[in-house]
Amino acid sequence: MLLPKKKERNMNNKIISVAGPTASGKSDLALFLAERFDGEIISFDSMQIYRGMDIGTAKPTKEDLARVRHHMIDIADPTENFSVADFTARAKEIIADVQNRGKTPVLCGGTGLYQDSLLRGTEFGELHADEAYRTKLSEFAKTNGNAALHALLAEKDPEAAEKIHMNNVKRVIRALEIINASGMTKTEWDKKALENASGVPATLIALNYRDREKLYSRIDMRVDIMMENGLFEEVKALWESGKLLPGTTAFDAIGYKEMLSCVRGEDSRDVCAEKIKLATRHYAKRQLTWFLRNKEINWLYPDEYSSKEELYSAAAELVSKDR
């Protein structure tokens, strides 16, 4: 374990945010920076908020929790739908409390929408869900097919339709909901949100790998460790207790939906593990695509450094220069 050379007080209420794809090493880096800059970690992982989903979401260990205080973990039941608006409201209160105590808020996670909503004032998600309209669109897709639903979006917001795959029904429906509720297209809504950004001062750091295969190797290793640590048993317990319900956000979490086929006896554990690895790789690509759009991020590449100590020193230097 690398120890910080010294603790630096937060003199200007600056925030540190550590992002990146799954298995990139961001959690360890956030721990180091939190210790170095006398901080507390605020997770912006959309699945770590759920109680009982520990192994599959790679939550902080007991040792990690003992080193640095963490927030936004285990705050909701898997049966609840926790929106980006819910996250933003609660995280803002936590950040204010951390800063009022003279400490540094260190954000850490891989859910780009959560980070943007908090730091850039993105209002996407603050529209209250119209359950009746959402159900109507969902039934339309079931009856007429995903392509037909996507065609509706293409008529009203061609730019959004071009970016959203027709089989990503949730996002297609969400884009149509924005139009229905605000009278603006998702494209217009996102643009307006960025123009009205809150401008919270933050040092943004994200991890990536020059050699993508190294990231994929880390993903595979992480899944293997999850399997060894009891992912099957965790999913089985959640399923049998009625905590994984179709239609909820938690139900679609990578690792859980794939492992359910094993719990049901439809696939072997090895087959499920391979499905999880593939799904996680695809997810990592989507995460990188999201973060790469943000020109304010300082990118660090672990495979360019000879040791963790060098990488962490580079990250600490970025933060120090920006304070």
Side-chain angles (χ1 to χ4, degrees):
M1 180 179 70
L2 294 174
L3 295 176
K5 295 179 181 179
K6 61 179 180 179
K7 283 190 177 183
E8 298 183 20
R9 300 291 291 178
N10 191 14
M11 303 302 293
N12 58 2
N13 280 352
K14 199 72 179 276
I15 294 172
I16 302 169
S17 186
V18 182
T22 185
S24 59
K26 56 185 177 291
S27 296
D28 286 345
L29 175 57
L31 278 167
F32 173 83
L33 292 175
E35 290 180 321
R36 172 68 178 270
F37 295 99
D38 194 21
E40 296 180 11
I41 293 176
I42 300 153
S43 169
F44 62 91
D45 185 299
S46 63
M47 294 301 166
Q48 289 188 352
I49 64 173
Y50 293 115
R51 290 183 287 269
M53 298 175 65
D54 304 330
I55 299 171
T57 64
K59 281 182 186 170
T61 64
K62 291 181 179 179
E63 291 75 19
D64 295 337
L65 296 174
R67 286 172 61 186
V68 173
R69 186 177 180 183
H70 286 65
H71 304 272
M72 299 301 288
I73 293 174
D74 290 339
I75 61 172
D77 192 85
T79 57
E80 300 176 49
N81 279 315
F82 197 87
S83 71
V84 63
D86 296 327
F87 165 82
T88 303
R90 191 172 301 192
K92 281 183 176 179
E93 292 179 356
I94 294 170
I95 287 174
D97 175 63
V98 171
Q99 291 176 327
N100 286 338
R101 289 186 279 109
K103 291 183 174 292
T104 304
V106 180
L107 309 183
C108 179
T111 307
L113 178 59
Y114 280 22
Q115 182 192 51
D116 285 357
S117 178
L118 188 57
L119 297 182
R120 303 172 69 184
T122 304
E123 297 175 15
F124 176 65
E126 292 183 6
L127 290 172
H128 292 294
D130 185 335
E131 295 297 340
Y133 185 67
R134 180 177 294 178
T135 300
K136 178 182 177 181
L137 292 177
S138 181
E139 291 300 323
F140 179 87
K142 290 178 182 177
T143 303
N144 301 283
N146 296 351
L149 180 68
H150 191 265
L152 291 179
L153 178 60
E155 290 178 10
K156 299 180 179 183
D157 188 356
E159 190 172 344
E162 187 176 346
K163 296 177 181 178
I164 303 174
H165 193 279
M166 69 176 184
N167 290 332
N168 195 335
V169 176
K170 280 190 175 182
R171 287 191 64 199
V172 173
I173 289 177
R174 185 57 181 152
L176 287 168
E177 280 186 297
I178 290 173
I179 297 170
N180 182 65
S182 69
M184 290 184 285
T185 66
K186 178 183 181 299
T187 304
E188 292 168 336
W189 185 260
D190 289 348
K191 182 179 179 181
K192 175 179 175 290
L194 289 178
E195 288 174 351
N196 294 330
S198 58
V200 175
T203 300
L204 306 183
I205 297 171
L207 298 180
N208 193 5
Y209 284 77
R210 296 293 187 188
D211 183 353
R212 187 63 60 84
E213 289 304 317
K214 290 184 178 179
L215 175 61
Y216 291 161
S217 178
R218 289 175 61 90
I219 288 172
D220 290 349
M221 185 181 301
R222 170 175 283 189
V223 174
D224 289 339
I225 292 173
M226 287 177 175
M227 295 298 292
E228 293 174 3
N229 289 345
L231 179 59
F232 172 85
E233 289 75 15
E234 180 173 273
V235 176
K236 185 173 186 289
L238 288 167
W239 177 250
E240 292 180 347
S241 64
K243 296 293 185 180
L244 287 181
L245 300 177
T248 61
T249 303
F251 184 84
D252 289 329
I254 293 175
Y256 293 83
K257 57 185 177 182
E258 292 83 6
M259 189 54 63
L260 266 177
S261 63
C262 181
V263 170
R264 294 166 176 163
E266 300 164 357
D267 287 314
S268 68
R269 297 194 187 195
D270 288 343
V271 168
C272 287
E274 290 305 312
K275 287 182 178 180
I276 295 171
K277 290 175 182 178
L278 182 60
T280 306
R281 289 185 178 200
H282 289 163
Y283 178 55
K285 289 181 182 178
R286 295 195 299 273
Q287 289 175 297
L288 285 168
T289 298
W290 183 286
F291 290 122
L292 285 167
R293 297 184 307 180
N294 189 341
K295 303 306 179 184
E296 298 175 6
I297 287 178
N298 299 284
W299 287 93
L300 293 176
Y301 300 85
D303 49 349
E304 288 186 341
Y305 295 87
S306 60
S307 66
K308 273 190 177 182
E309 185 171 10
E310 286 188 10
L311 171 66
Y312 291 2
S313 294
E317 185 176 353
L318 282 172
V319 175
S320 295
K321 285 182 178 179
D322 208 19
R323 289 166 74 85

